[in-house]
Structures are given as C-alpha cells and as structure tokens.
Amino acid sequence: MGIENPHGQRVVAPAPPPSWGEVVLDGQQVRAIRFCLADRVVTFPVTVLKKWEHLAGEPEILTLSAGNDHLVIEGVNLALVRAALDLGRLAEVRMNYDRLHPRPGPIIRAITLETP
C-alpha cells in the first residue's frame, strides 16, 4: 500500500540532500559559502571569491581564490560542485569520503585552506 495524496496520486519523497554539501534552490541568493575543514568551518562571503579552477586527474582538484586565501578541494566528480559554484548556488562544501556507502555524486576527500 502506497502513500497517496488527496488527489489519488502517489506521493514521492524528495531526494535526500547531497552528502558533500548544500546547494540552494534556483532563484535563491547565496551570500556566503561555508567550507567544512577537518578541524574547523571557514565561511567566506561570495563577494571575496576571485576565481576558481577545476583540474582533472586523480584526485580532481578544485582551487578557489578568496582574498589572499586559497581553498583546495580534493576528490572525485567535482564537476557538480564547480557547477553549483558557477551558478551561484553553492552554500556549503564538506568532506564525505569516509562514508561506507556514498551516494552518487561528488566525493570530497580533503578541504584545505592555504593562507599566506
């Protein structure tokens, strides 16, 4: 027996949020992006992000310049993270490499912050 709404149509549960971070809905505005490092959370206003570069390989590397700081994200299938960043919808990035059964999508192995 399935769950039905009042109109007789089957109710489909929403997809679970990505395990690698948070993306806002289309049309919402992101003012800051949180990066969950191994030992702390660092948040940057979107206005300080100057550039990002996605390097293919094993591991893939996504490098972001924010002011004088550089964030380095290492993982696999990072194109979705880069696309969310390009579209202004990225709100948070976190590591998810230690999950036993990762969901499809990006796998973030490491996030490091390099400051001069």
Side-chain angles (χ1 to χ4, degrees):
M1 175 174 264
I3 299 173
E4 295 185 9
N5 69 17
H7 301 292
Q9 296 177 344
R10 194 174 178 98
V11 175
V12 179
S19 63
W20 54 267
E22 290 181 25
V23 177
V24 299
L25 298 173
D26 194 20
Q28 291 183 327
Q29 184 179 8
V30 174
R31 294 189 177 139
I33 303 174
R34 291 179 306 277
F35 296 91
C36 301
L37 286 69
D39 60 344
R40 65 191 185 276
V41 175
V42 179
T43 304
F44 287 99
V46 173
T47 56
V48 301
L49 294 178
K50 298 180 197 175
K51 142 183 137 164
W52 44 92
E53 182 176 359
H54 182 194
L55 300 172
E58 180 52 42
E60 292 178 43
I61 297 176
L62 184 60
T63 305
L64 296 91
S65 297
N68 292 328
D69 299 323
H70 296 282
L71 283 146
V72 179
I73 301 170
E74 296 180 27
V76 180
N77 298 326
L78 298 182
L80 286 175
V81 178
R82 187 198 68 233
L85 189 58
D86 291 344
L87 295 171
R89 296 177 57 192
L90 186 63
E92 180 177 284
V93 180
R94 58 183 171 262
M95 294 182 292
N96 65 347
Y97 70 94
D98 60 350
R99 296 185 182 264
L100 293 175
H101 303 290
R103 293 184 221 148
I107 297 174
I108 309 293
R109 293 183 183 149
I111 304 171
T112 55
L113 177 63
E114 300 171 356
T115 56

